[in-house]
Amino acid sequence: MDIHLTFLTQPIPLFPILAWYSIAFLVQWFGWTVHVSLTITMPLTLLQVIFLLLCFHIKHQAIAEILNLFILPKWLVHLYYLGSVASIIVVTGWFHSLHLDKDEQWRLIQEKYPEHLSNFKSLTTFDIYDHSSYFLIAHLMVITCAFIVFCIFLYLIIDTLRMMSLLKLKISAHCYTQHHEAVQSLLVQFGTASFCLIPASVFLLVVLFQLNNVQFYTELCIAGFVTHSSANILSLLTFFAPFQRYVVKKFQIIKPKPSVNTSIHSTRQQPKFVDVT
């Protein structure tokens, strides 16, 4: 998704108007519409959340099976897979249904934003959306679903940490370290994913309620979003032990101590010779 948004399409908002344009080569050279690039963003965003939640579920159930506590039935897991696929189809289809053809877009600009008509004519490609009641209802549904998913994340995190305290007494120290590092990695991924998802959620609220200084808030959301990848790798290097060990070994940050030669030849005293002549 980072490559798609920052390199391939680069959609740029034109708030407070619900409009976007792009300067990326897929749009400029190959004729992609901005709406197509935004529509592709929807399933990519959902896939991040789905796979991260699935990783938490797998680790949670792995620990639960060792402790024989709260093992979810298989049908519930299959229901999650079905719901994940359905959510991608529904959200992507909903966003695609918001698209207006070019005649409707020009008519919307002339009716609601006539002062910006000349500016839109100077753009080679753009897409504008109508701030209708259907648009607002769909936004509220997306925000509600995002809140529910966030609560599920919190439950899995809290319950996994609770079971980790019980797991320490059941398995060896080496196995516990492996589980601890895996959980720590997931927590780092969840924290850094917030750099991507929280700005997007704030962005939806800004669009929904048409707040003052909307352009400024939008710029803050975009700035927060693009820090996702950098924050991710820096957090892993800071909090994830295997990454730290790799960096220390790769760049030899800590020089190894010189080995002590303990061979018998180094410790044996040299014989003394006496001149008897």
Side-chain angles (χ1 to χ4, degrees):
M1 188 176 69
D2 292 339
I3 294 174
H4 173 72
L5 289 180
T6 60
F7 178 68
L8 297 178
T9 57
Q10 296 181 10
I12 301 172
L14 297 171
F15 291 112
I17 305 172
L18 289 176
W20 300 74
Y21 76 101
S22 176
I23 58 175
F25 71 93
L26 283 181
V27 177
Q28 299 291 336
W29 296 354
F30 297 98
W32 280 38
T33 63
V34 183
H35 176 72
V36 171
S37 66
L38 293 175
T39 304
I40 295 175
T41 304
M42 297 299 165
L44 293 178
T45 304
L46 288 174
L47 282 174
Q48 284 198 85
V49 179
I50 289 170
F51 283 129
L52 184 59
L53 188 59
L54 183 61
C55 289
F56 269 100
H57 161 73
I58 291 174
K59 176 50 62 178
H60 179 271
Q61 288 300 288
I63 299 174
E65 290 179 358
I66 296 175
L67 298 174
N68 197 20
L69 293 173
F70 196 62
I71 301 176
L72 295 177
K74 295 295 183 182
W75 65 266
L76 189 60
V77 179
H78 295 158
L79 183 63
Y80 172 76
Y81 292 148
L82 181 62
S84 300
V85 175
S87 65
I88 293 176
I89 297 174
V90 170
V91 173
T92 306
W94 156 75
F95 185 79
H96 182 68
S97 66
L98 298 175
H99 185 246
L100 305 174
D101 58 34
K102 280 302 176 183
D103 293 336
E104 292 176 333
Q105 292 186 37
W106 285 116
R107 183 168 61 252
L108 181 64
I109 294 172
Q110 291 175 355
E111 292 176 358
K112 294 186 176 181
Y113 314 106
E115 66 277 10
H116 298 294
L117 182 60
S118 60
N119 295 327
F120 277 104
K121 288 182 178 180
S122 63
L123 297 176
T124 56
T125 178
F126 69 90
D127 275 298
I128 188 170
Y129 301 91
D130 189 11
H131 202 279
S132 60
S133 57
Y134 172 69
F135 184 87
L136 297 177
I137 293 173
H139 265 69
L140 286 174
M141 292 178 61
V142 171
I143 292 173
T144 303
C145 292
F147 178 75
I148 294 174
V149 171
F150 180 74
C151 292
I152 295 174
F153 268 117
L154 287 182
Y155 166 76
L156 288 175
I157 291 172
I158 294 173
D159 198 52
T160 300
L161 294 177
R162 179 186 66 83
M163 290 193 300
M164 285 293 293
S165 61
L166 301 175
L167 186 67
K168 192 173 185 179
L169 305 176
K170 298 285 186 179
I171 60 177
S172 64
H174 177 70
C175 292
Y176 177 81
T177 300
Q178 291 181 330
H179 283 285
H180 181 268
E181 289 179 348
V183 172
Q184 190 177 32
S185 173
L186 289 176
L187 292 175
V188 171
Q189 294 293 326
F190 175 74
T192 55
S194 301
F195 282 90
C196 176
L197 300 177
I198 290 179
S201 302
V202 174
F203 173 76
L204 290 177
L205 292 174
V206 168
V207 172
L208 181 63
F209 294 107
Q210 292 291 291
L211 302 177
N212 295 328
N213 299 322
V214 62
Q215 187 70 34
F216 173 72
Y217 294 136
T218 303
E219 292 173 356
L220 287 181
C221 291
I222 294 174
F225 174 82
V226 298
T227 61
H228 165 65
S229 296
S230 300
N232 187 20
I233 188 62
L234 289 176
S235 299
L236 285 173
L237 289 174
T238 304
F239 300 106
F240 192 43
F243 275 39
Q244 295 174 0
R245 292 195 292 266
Y246 172 80
V247 173
V248 169
K249 181 179 179 181
K250 182 70 175 180
F251 299 100
Q252 296 182 354
I253 297 177
I254 300 177
K255 294 183 179 179
K257 295 181 179 179
S259 59
V260 179
N261 190 354
T262 58
S263 63
I264 187 171
H265 298 289
S266 62
T267 58
R268 181 183 300 170
Q269 294 182 353
Q270 295 295 329
K272 295 181 179 179
F273 296 95
V274 180
D275 185 5
V276 295
T277 59

